Amino acid sequence: MTIIPSGKVSRVFLCFWHSYCGFYNMEISYKILKPDTKVVVFDLDGTIYNKKGLVRHMMLSGILEWRMMLVERKTRQRLRGIWVGDKNLFYDKYFLAMADGRWLSPKYAKWWYNTRYMPLMVSVIKKYYKPVEWLESFVNQCKTLGVRIVVLSDYGHTKEKIQALGLDDTMFDWVVSAPELGGLKPARQLLEKVAAKMGILPNQCLVIGDREDTDGELAKSVNAPFYLVEQE
């Protein structure tokens, strides 16, 4: 039987032990598992799975949707970092921005996003993608150490996408999207809301993501540590 010491020593010891036993990449363990981290905040797309080719797969699977996909992407870039503090207010503003100066209406944008775009993304993820190899062991490691796990996605349908990857969403302590909280990354209020939900300070979160300009800036906005996941 392995005797695990308490406190900060146990965290360092477990990082070494699991790495030595081959449970997950040693570099990840030492860079992520900080002694003062209470909650790990995962990005979803591009972080817990390698999203390489996602846009291409979506366009090939929904060839008639490409024009609206471009509108959605441009709108998301335009509203980057926006904060309104409420899910319904956010989506009202988002769909209005999608329609602004274009041929579509906000009502159509809402219908397309919820009934075509997000279901298409979920189906493509289910067909072509799987979680990163180190995810499950890392989550178990965090649970051993009493560190909770939150998934904070840029898009909606977060639970559906996690399930499409073959994962049980209950393996995480909270699964939520930025729009559900009322904004888009890197609005600092997103991490403040996550921290409030978890009963900790924002800088006690450790953000893990694949983008410096969204996930990294989100962490920086509240002086929280950030770990960049670099996919091949």
Side-chain angles (χ1 to χ4, degrees):
M1 180 178 69
T2 302
I3 299 175
I4 300 173
S6 61
K8 294 181 180 179
V9 176
S10 67
R11 186 160 298 187
V12 174
F13 173 80
L14 281 174
C15 287
F16 170 79
W17 179 254
H18 281 253
S19 177
Y20 175 80
C21 294
F23 282 96
Y24 60 90
N25 184 275
M26 186 173 181
E27 182 182 7
I28 289 177
S29 69
Y30 279 104
K31 287 187 176 181
I32 291 178
L33 299 177
K34 309 293 184 181
D36 56 346
T37 297
K38 304 298 182 185
V39 172
V40 167
V41 180
F42 270 116
D43 171 52
L44 201 167
D45 303 294
T47 301
I48 69 173
Y49 74 96
N50 186 342
K51 67 178 182 181
K52 183 178 180 181
L54 179 62
V55 175
R56 177 172 56 85
H57 285 307
M58 289 183 66
M59 286 192 169
L60 290 174
S61 299
I63 193 67
L64 299 178
E65 312 293 340
W66 68 269
R67 188 178 180 187
M68 284 296 295
M69 289 183 196
L70 292 177
V71 169
E72 194 279 333
R73 288 175 69 84
K74 288 180 180 180
T75 302
R76 184 168 293 272
Q77 292 168 0
R78 175 182 167 189
L79 297 182
R80 176 182 175 274
I82 191 174
W83 176 255
V84 296
D86 177 81
K87 175 183 176 180
N88 292 328
L89 288 177
F90 168 80
Y91 276 121
D92 286 346
K93 190 174 186 68
Y94 196 75
F95 298 134
L96 187 64
M98 284 184 68
D100 186 25
R102 298 185 176 94
W103 52 271
L104 66 152
S105 67
K107 184 176 180 180
Y108 179 82
K110 179 179 181 179
W111 173 86
W112 175 84
Y113 185 90
N114 289 318
T115 64
R116 301 294 294 269
Y117 184 55
M118 293 312 302
L120 176 62
M121 186 181 290
V122 172
S123 67
V124 167
I125 290 171
K126 184 174 183 178
K127 184 175 181 179
Y128 293 104
Y129 296 93
K130 61 182 180 179
V132 291
E133 293 181 357
W134 51 264
L135 179 66
E136 188 173 353
S137 60
F138 177 72
V139 169
N140 289 336
Q141 174 74 5
C142 288
K143 290 180 179 179
T144 300
L145 298 170
V147 176
R148 289 170 291 172
I149 306 287
V150 171
V151 175
L152 177 60
S153 176
D154 297 82
Y155 293 84
H157 283 59
T158 312
K159 288 186 178 181
E160 291 88 342
K161 288 193 286 184
I162 288 173
Q163 292 165 1
L165 289 166
L167 297 170
D168 183 352
D169 62 273
T170 62
M171 69 187 286
F172 306 107
D173 294 279
W174 192 29
V175 173
V176 69
S177 70
E180 286 178 76
L181 298 181
L184 290 177
K185 297 175 184 176
R188 62 174 176 78
Q189 294 90 342
L190 294 168
L191 213 50
E192 289 173 350
K193 276 205 167 187
V194 169
K197 173 78 172 181
M198 297 291 107
I200 63 169
L201 297 173
N203 62 6
Q204 291 177 310
C205 295
L206 190 149
V207 179
I208 305 174
D210 67 315
R211 292 183 56 174
E212 291 272 11
D213 63 333
T214 52
D215 307 307
E217 288 298 316
L218 174 64
K220 185 178 179 181
S221 69
V222 296
N223 199 31
F226 169 64
Y227 180 80
L228 178 65
V229 173
E230 297 181 274
Q231 307 282 11
E232 293 182 359

